[in-house]
PDB file of all heavy atoms in Angstrom:
ATOM      1  N   ARG A 328       0.830  -1.216   0.000  1.00 93.00           N
ATOM      2  CA  ARG A 328       0.000   0.000   0.000  1.00 93.00           C
ATOM      3  C   ARG A 328       0.859   1.258   0.000  1.00 93.00           C
ATOM      4  O   ARG A 328       0.588   2.216  -0.729  1.00 93.00           O
ATOM      5  CB  ARG A 328      -0.936  -0.001   1.202  1.00 93.00           C
ATOM      6  CG  ARG A 328      -2.149  -0.828   1.002  1.00 93.00           C
ATOM      7  CD  ARG A 328      -3.191  -0.560   2.101  1.00 93.00           C
ATOM      8  NE  ARG A 328      -4.113  -1.669   2.101  1.00 93.00           N
ATOM      9  CZ  ARG A 328      -4.055  -2.711   2.920  1.00 93.00           C
ATOM     10  NH1 ARG A 328      -3.123  -2.788   3.836  1.00 93.00           N
ATOM     11  NH2 ARG A 328      -4.939  -3.681   2.849  1.00 93.00           N
ATOM     12  N   ALA A 329       1.905   1.282   0.834  1.00 90.00           N
ATOM     13  CA  ALA A 329       2.781   2.453   0.896  1.00 90.00           C
ATOM     14  C   ALA A 329       3.494   2.673  -0.440  1.00 90.00           C
ATOM     15  O   ALA A 329       3.626   3.815  -0.896  1.00 90.00           O
ATOM     16  CB  ALA A 329       3.796   2.286   2.027  1.00 90.00           C
ATOM     17  N   SER A 330       3.927   1.596  -1.071  1.00 87.00           N
ATOM     18  CA  SER A 330       4.609   1.707  -2.363  1.00 87.00           C
ATOM     19  C   SER A 330       3.673   2.264  -3.429  1.00 87.00           C
ATOM     20  O   SER A 330       4.067   3.121  -4.225  1.00 87.00           O
ATOM     21  CB  SER A 330       5.139   0.341  -2.801  1.00 87.00           C
ATOM     22  OG  SER A 330       6.084  -0.129  -1.877  1.00 87.00           O
ATOM     23  N   ILE A 331       2.460   1.775  -3.446  1.00 90.00           N
ATOM     24  CA  ILE A 331       1.479   2.266  -4.421  1.00 90.00           C
ATOM     25  C   ILE A 331       1.127   3.716  -4.120  1.00 90.00           C
ATOM     26  O   ILE A 331       1.034   4.544  -5.037  1.00 90.00           O
ATOM     27  CB  ILE A 331       0.234   1.363  -4.434  1.00 90.00           C
ATOM     28  CG1 ILE A 331       0.606  -0.002  -5.017  1.00 90.00           C
ATOM     29  CG2 ILE A 331      -0.899   2.010  -5.226  1.00 90.00           C
ATOM     30  CD1 ILE A 331      -0.477  -1.056  -4.895  1.00 90.00           C
ATOM     31  N   ASP A 332       0.936   4.060  -2.852  1.00 93.00           N
ATOM     32  CA  ASP A 332       0.604   5.438  -2.470  1.00 93.00           C
ATOM     33  C   ASP A 332       1.667   6.426  -2.925  1.00 93.00           C
ATOM     34  O   ASP A 332       1.353   7.548  -3.315  1.00 93.00           O
ATOM     35  CB  ASP A 332       0.412   5.549  -0.961  1.00 93.00           C
ATOM     36  CG  ASP A 332      -0.890   4.919  -0.486  1.00 93.00           C
ATOM     37  OD1 ASP A 332      -1.756   4.600  -1.342  1.00 93.00           O
ATOM     38  OD2 ASP A 332      -1.041   4.739   0.743  1.00 93.00           O
ATOM     39  N   GLU A 333       2.946   6.003  -2.882  1.00 89.00           N
ATOM     40  CA  GLU A 333       4.025   6.891  -3.316  1.00 89.00           C
ATOM     41  C   GLU A 333       3.954   7.206  -4.810  1.00 89.00           C
ATOM     42  O   GLU A 333       4.416   8.247  -5.254  1.00 89.00           O
ATOM     43  CB  GLU A 333       5.385   6.252  -3.034  1.00 89.00           C
ATOM     44  CG  GLU A 333       5.789   6.266  -1.587  1.00 89.00           C
ATOM     45  CD  GLU A 333       7.155   5.620  -1.371  1.00 89.00           C
ATOM     46  OE1 GLU A 333       7.804   5.224  -2.364  1.00 89.00           O
ATOM     47  OE2 GLU A 333       7.558   5.508  -0.210  1.00 89.00           O
ATOM     48  N   LYS A 334       3.408   6.294  -5.595  1.00 89.00           N
ATOM     49  CA  LYS A 334       3.432   6.446  -7.055  1.00 89.00           C
ATOM     50  C   LYS A 334       2.070   6.773  -7.668  1.00 89.00           C
ATOM     51  O   LYS A 334       1.995   7.104  -8.841  1.00 89.00           O
ATOM     52  CB  LYS A 334       3.948   5.145  -7.699  1.00 89.00           C
ATOM     53  CG  LYS A 334       5.373   4.835  -7.337  1.00 89.00           C
ATOM     54  CD  LYS A 334       6.285   5.871  -7.940  1.00 89.00           C
ATOM     55  CE  LYS A 334       7.726   5.608  -7.651  1.00 89.00           C
ATOM     56  NZ  LYS A 334       8.605   6.500  -8.363  1.00 89.00           N
ATOM     57  N   ILE A 335       1.000   6.673  -6.901  1.00 92.00           N
ATOM     58  CA  ILE A 335      -0.333   6.761  -7.483  1.00 92.00           C
ATOM     59  C   ILE A 335      -0.592   8.100  -8.171  1.00 92.00           C
ATOM     60  O   ILE A 335      -1.258   8.158  -9.198  1.00 92.00           O
ATOM     61  CB  ILE A 335      -1.417   6.436  -6.428  1.00 92.00           C
ATOM     62  CG1 ILE A 335      -2.703   6.045  -7.131  1.00 92.00           C
ATOM     63  CG2 ILE A 335      -1.599   7.586  -5.448  1.00 92.00           C
ATOM     64  CD1 ILE A 335      -3.668   5.307  -6.253  1.00 92.00           C
ATOM     65  N   ALA A 336      -0.065   9.185  -7.629  1.00 93.00           N
ATOM     66  CA  ALA A 336      -0.290  10.497  -8.222  1.00 93.00           C
ATOM     67  C   ALA A 336       0.317  10.606  -9.615  1.00 93.00           C
ATOM     68  O   ALA A 336      -0.219  11.293 -10.487  1.00 93.00           O
ATOM     69  CB  ALA A 336       0.264  11.597  -7.322  1.00 93.00           C
ATOM     70  N   SER A 337       1.420   9.911  -9.838  1.00 93.00           N
ATOM     71  CA  SER A 337       2.073   9.981 -11.150  1.00 93.00           C
ATOM     72  C   SER A 337       1.352   9.129 -12.188  1.00 93.00           C
ATOM     73  O   SER A 337       1.513   9.334 -13.382  1.00 93.00           O
ATOM     74  CB  SER A 337       3.534   9.525 -11.041  1.00 93.00           C
ATOM     75  OG  SER A 337       3.601   8.120 -10.850  1.00 93.00           O
ATOM     76  N   GLY A 338       0.596   8.141 -11.711  1.00 92.00           N
ATOM     77  CA  GLY A 338      -0.106   7.261 -12.644  1.00 92.00           C
ATOM     78  C   GLY A 338       0.794   6.218 -13.284  1.00 92.00           C
ATOM     79  O   GLY A 338       0.380   5.491 -14.177  1.00 92.00           O
ATOM     80  N   ARG A 339       2.020   6.106 -12.805  1.00 89.00           N
ATOM     81  CA  ARG A 339       2.975   5.139 -13.352  1.00 89.00           C
ATOM     82  C   ARG A 339       3.675   4.421 -12.220  1.00 89.00           C
ATOM     83  O   ARG A 339       3.973   5.003 -11.190  1.00 89.00           O
ATOM     84  CB  ARG A 339       4.029   5.851 -14.194  1.00 89.00           C
ATOM     85  CG  ARG A 339       3.474   6.603 -15.362  1.00 89.00           C
ATOM     86  CD  ARG A 339       4.618   7.171 -16.150  1.00 89.00           C
ATOM     87  NE  ARG A 339       5.160   6.104 -16.973  1.00 89.00           N
ATOM     88  CZ  ARG A 339       4.996   6.039 -18.289  1.00 89.00           C
ATOM     89  NH1 ARG A 339       4.349   6.978 -18.905  1.00 89.00           N
ATOM     90  NH2 ARG A 339       5.506   5.050 -18.972  1.00 89.00           N
ATOM     91  N   MET A 340       3.974   3.147 -12.464  1.00 88.00           N
ATOM     92  CA  MET A 340       4.708   2.369 -11.470  1.00 88.00           C
ATOM     93  C   MET A 340       5.448   1.253 -12.182  1.00 88.00           C
ATOM     94  O   MET A 340       4.864   0.533 -12.976  1.00 88.00           O
ATOM     95  CB  MET A 340       3.748   1.793 -10.435  1.00 88.00           C
ATOM     96  CG  MET A 340       4.418   1.043  -9.325  1.00 88.00           C
ATOM     97  SD  MET A 340       3.212   0.596  -8.079  1.00 88.00           S
ATOM     98  CE  MET A 340       4.277   0.410  -6.680  1.00 88.00           C
ATOM     99  N   ASP A 341       6.721   1.132 -11.894  1.00 87.00           N
ATOM    100  CA  ASP A 341       7.497   0.029 -12.406  1.00 87.00           C
ATOM    101  C   ASP A 341       7.477  -1.057 -11.334  1.00 87.00           C
ATOM    102  O   ASP A 341       7.909  -0.832 -10.200  1.00 87.00           O
ATOM    103  CB  ASP A 341       8.941   0.459 -12.677  1.00 87.00           C
ATOM    104  CG  ASP A 341       9.765  -0.670 -13.261  1.00 87.00           C
ATOM    105  OD1 ASP A 341      10.220  -1.534 -12.483  1.00 87.00           O
ATOM    106  OD2 ASP A 341       9.922  -0.695 -14.488  1.00 87.00           O
ATOM    107  N   PHE A 342       6.957  -2.216 -11.680  1.00 86.00           N
ATOM    108  CA  PHE A 342       6.794  -3.269 -10.687  1.00 86.00           C
ATOM    109  C   PHE A 342       8.107  -3.629 -10.010  1.00 86.00           C
ATOM    110  O   PHE A 342       8.178  -3.745  -8.790  1.00 86.00           O
ATOM    111  CB  PHE A 342       6.172  -4.517 -11.329  1.00 86.00           C
ATOM    112  CG  PHE A 342       5.980  -5.639 -10.355  1.00 86.00           C
ATOM    113  CD1 PHE A 342       4.897  -5.652  -9.500  1.00 86.00           C
ATOM    114  CD2 PHE A 342       6.898  -6.671 -10.273  1.00 86.00           C
ATOM    115  CE1 PHE A 342       4.725  -6.666  -8.582  1.00 86.00           C
ATOM    116  CE2 PHE A 342       6.733  -7.703  -9.354  1.00 86.00           C
ATOM    117  CZ  PHE A 342       5.647  -7.699  -8.511  1.00 86.00           C
ATOM    118  N   VAL A 343       9.172  -3.779 -10.776  1.00 85.00           N
ATOM    119  CA  VAL A 343      10.454  -4.187 -10.195  1.00 85.00           C
ATOM    120  C   VAL A 343      11.075  -3.049  -9.391  1.00 85.00           C
ATOM    121  O   VAL A 343      11.392  -3.198  -8.219  1.00 85.00           O
ATOM    122  CB  VAL A 343      11.433  -4.687 -11.282  1.00 85.00           C
ATOM    123  CG1 VAL A 343      12.813  -4.926 -10.705  1.00 85.00           C
ATOM    124  CG2 VAL A 343      10.891  -5.957 -11.919  1.00 85.00           C
ATOM    125  N   ASP A 344      11.262  -1.901 -10.001  1.00 84.00           N
ATOM    126  CA  ASP A 344      11.939  -0.795  -9.320  1.00 84.00           C
ATOM    127  C   ASP A 344      11.136  -0.202  -8.170  1.00 84.00           C
ATOM    128  O   ASP A 344      11.695   0.172  -7.145  1.00 84.00           O
ATOM    129  CB  ASP A 344      12.269   0.320 -10.311  1.00 84.00           C
ATOM    130  CG  ASP A 344      13.491   0.009 -11.145  1.00 84.00           C
ATOM    131  OD1 ASP A 344      14.286  -0.848 -10.733  1.00 84.00           O
ATOM    132  OD2 ASP A 344      13.643   0.635 -12.200  1.00 84.00           O
ATOM    133  N   ASP A 345       9.839  -0.079  -8.332  1.00 85.00           N
ATOM    134  CA  ASP A 345       9.038   0.645  -7.351  1.00 85.00           C
ATOM    135  C   ASP A 345       8.309  -0.227  -6.339  1.00 85.00           C
ATOM    136  O   ASP A 345       7.796   0.280  -5.356  1.00 85.00           O
ATOM    137  CB  ASP A 345       8.011   1.519  -8.081  1.00 85.00           C
ATOM    138  CG  ASP A 345       8.673   2.527  -8.986  1.00 85.00           C
ATOM    139  OD1 ASP A 345       9.746   3.046  -8.605  1.00 85.00           O
ATOM    140  OD2 ASP A 345       8.146   2.803 -10.073  1.00 85.00           O
ATOM    141  N   LEU A 346       8.265  -1.529  -6.571  1.00 84.00           N
ATOM    142  CA  LEU A 346       7.555  -2.393  -5.638  1.00 84.00           C
ATOM    143  C   LEU A 346       8.388  -3.598  -5.207  1.00 84.00           C
ATOM    144  O   LEU A 346       8.619  -3.810  -4.034  1.00 84.00           O
ATOM    145  CB  LEU A 346       6.221  -2.865  -6.243  1.00 84.00           C
ATOM    146  CG  LEU A 346       5.367  -3.761  -5.358  1.00 84.00           C
ATOM    147  CD1 LEU A 346       4.936  -3.024  -4.107  1.00 84.00           C
ATOM    148  CD2 LEU A 346       4.157  -4.252  -6.126  1.00 84.00           C
ATOM    149  N   ALA A 347       8.858  -4.374  -6.151  1.00 83.00           N
ATOM    150  CA  ALA A 347       9.515  -5.638  -5.818  1.00 83.00           C
ATOM    151  C   ALA A 347      10.930  -5.461  -5.276  1.00 83.00           C
ATOM    152  O   ALA A 347      11.399  -6.292  -4.505  1.00 83.00           O
ATOM    153  CB  ALA A 347       9.548  -6.552  -7.043  1.00 83.00           C
ATOM    154  N   ASN A 348      11.620  -4.412  -5.640  1.00 78.00           N
ATOM    155  CA  ASN A 348      13.011  -4.224  -5.218  1.00 78.00           C
ATOM    156  C   ASN A 348      13.060  -3.524  -3.865  1.00 78.00           C
ATOM    157  O   ASN A 348      13.435  -2.367  -3.756  1.00 78.00           O
ATOM    158  CB  ASN A 348      13.768  -3.432  -6.283  1.00 78.00           C
ATOM    159  CG  ASN A 348      15.252  -3.475  -6.057  1.00 78.00           C
ATOM    160  OD1 ASN A 348      15.730  -4.000  -5.067  1.00 78.00           O
ATOM    161  ND2 ASN A 348      15.996  -2.902  -6.983  1.00 78.00           N
ATOM    162  N   ILE A 349      12.709  -4.259  -2.830  1.00 65.00           N
ATOM    163  CA  ILE A 349      12.631  -3.686  -1.487  1.00 65.00           C
ATOM    164  C   ILE A 349      13.987  -3.183  -1.008  1.00 65.00           C
ATOM    165  O   ILE A 349      14.070  -2.223  -0.246  1.00 65.00           O
ATOM    166  CB  ILE A 349      12.001  -4.691  -0.500  1.00 65.00           C
ATOM    167  CG1 ILE A 349      11.652  -4.012   0.818  1.00 65.00           C
ATOM    168  CG2 ILE A 349      12.932  -5.856  -0.259  1.00 65.00           C
ATOM    169  CD1 ILE A 349      10.496  -3.091   0.751  1.00 65.00           C
ATOM    170  N   ALA A 350      15.070  -3.782  -1.457  1.00 60.00           N
ATOM    171  CA  ALA A 350      16.400  -3.354  -1.015  1.00 60.00           C
ATOM    172  C   ALA A 350      16.671  -1.912  -1.432  1.00 60.00           C
ATOM    173  O   ALA A 350      17.316  -1.158  -0.705  1.00 60.00           O
ATOM    174  CB  ALA A 350      17.467  -4.273  -1.589  1.00 60.00           C
ATOM    175  N   ARG A 351      16.161  -1.506  -2.573  1.00 59.00           N
ATOM    176  CA  ARG A 351      16.370  -0.136  -3.047  1.00 59.00           C
ATOM    177  C   ARG A 351      15.579   0.866  -2.209  1.00 59.00           C
ATOM    178  O   ARG A 351      15.915   2.013  -2.097  1.00 59.00           O
ATOM    179  CB  ARG A 351      15.956  -0.039  -4.515  1.00 59.00           C
ATOM    180  CG  ARG A 351      16.345   1.270  -5.160  1.00 59.00           C
ATOM    181  CD  ARG A 351      15.912   1.321  -6.601  1.00 59.00           C
ATOM    182  NE  ARG A 351      14.493   1.436  -6.795  1.00 59.00           N
ATOM    183  CZ  ARG A 351      13.779   2.554  -6.575  1.00 59.00           C
ATOM    184  NH1 ARG A 351      14.371   3.631  -6.129  1.00 59.00           N
ATOM    185  NH2 ARG A 351      12.492   2.578  -6.797  1.00 59.00           N
ATOM    186  N   ARG A 352      14.502   0.403  -1.615  1.00 55.00           N
ATOM    187  CA  ARG A 352      13.609   1.285  -0.869  1.00 55.00           C
ATOM    188  C   ARG A 352      14.112   1.576   0.534  1.00 55.00           C
ATOM    189  O   ARG A 352      13.693   2.514   1.154  1.00 55.00           O
ATOM    190  CB  ARG A 352      12.221   0.668  -0.793  1.00 55.00           C
ATOM    191  CG  ARG A 352      11.630   0.391  -2.157  1.00 55.00           C
ATOM    192  CD  ARG A 352      10.282  -0.287  -2.048  1.00 55.00           C
ATOM    193  NE  ARG A 352       9.372   0.457  -1.212  1.00 55.00           N
ATOM    194  CZ  ARG A 352       8.780   1.590  -1.542  1.00 55.00           C
ATOM    195  NH1 ARG A 352       9.019   2.117  -2.713  1.00 55.00           N
ATOM    196  NH2 ARG A 352       7.955   2.185  -0.727  1.00 55.00           N
TER     197      ARG A 352
END
């Protein structure tokens, strides 16, 4: 939910970079 909330305003999300790659976050 937090990952989606960070990107929802832009209308774009890369599954790997913005959600699955928890180490980057």
Side-chain angles (χ1 to χ4, degrees):
R328 279 192 198 97
S330 298
I331 291 171
D332 287 348
E333 285 180 3
K334 296 293 181 173
I335 200 162
S337 72
R339 300 184 80 108
M340 183 173 203
D341 182 280
F342 180 80
V343 172
D344 281 340
D345 300 324
L346 181 63
N348 193 354
I349 192 72
R351 190 180 71 73
R352 302 177 54 73

